[in-house]
Amino acid sequence: QVQLLESGGGSVQVGGSLRLSCEASGSTSSISCMAWFRQGSGAEPKRVAKIYLGRSTKFYADFVKGRFIISRDNAKNGLYLQMNSLQPEDTASYYCVAYRNCERQYDYRGQGTQVTVSS
């Protein structure tokens, strides 16, 4: 099993920045990919960014390209999401997930951390 714990959410003004962190523990050697998802109020979850741990390949949703950066610290089992130029539509609960197989549904997810962007 893998446990994921997010931190770093909060409230920010439009145009501001936040950095989310996700600490993985447990059987972390089984993880091949990690990702950030978000879910706004009344909305479906959306994948924000994904990183392949073996080769550091990264993918971003169009709505965050150029603004968000996903990164990973393998030594610390940490996953990060640097969010810049935040907009009200970025308001959501953000959660990290981990995959044993990158091409399938994720296997583990954290509880999430709330990000609120106000104008």
Side-chain angles (χ1 to χ4, degrees), residues 1-68:
Q1 290 290 317
V2 173
Q3 295 77 43
L4 302 170
L5 181 63
E6 302 94 339
S7 62
S11 297
V12 66
Q13 298 279 337
V14 168
S17 299
L18 282 174
R19 185 175 187 250
L20 305 183
S21 299
C22 172
E23 180 182 354
S25 59
S27 302
T28 57
S29 61
S30 67
I31 299 172
S32 298
C33 288
M34 297 188 76
W36 287 98
F37 277 71
R38 74 184 189 188
Q39 186 171 18
S41 178
E44 291 292 316
K46 293 182 180 179
R47 193 180 71 195
V48 174
K50 184 175 182 179
I51 184 168
Y52 285 59
L53 304 188
R55 54 185 188 265
S56 293
T57 301
K58 304 173 184 179
F59 294 97
Y60 295 94
D62 286 343
F63 53 82
V64 302
K65 279 182 180 176
R67 300 189 298 127
F68 291 12

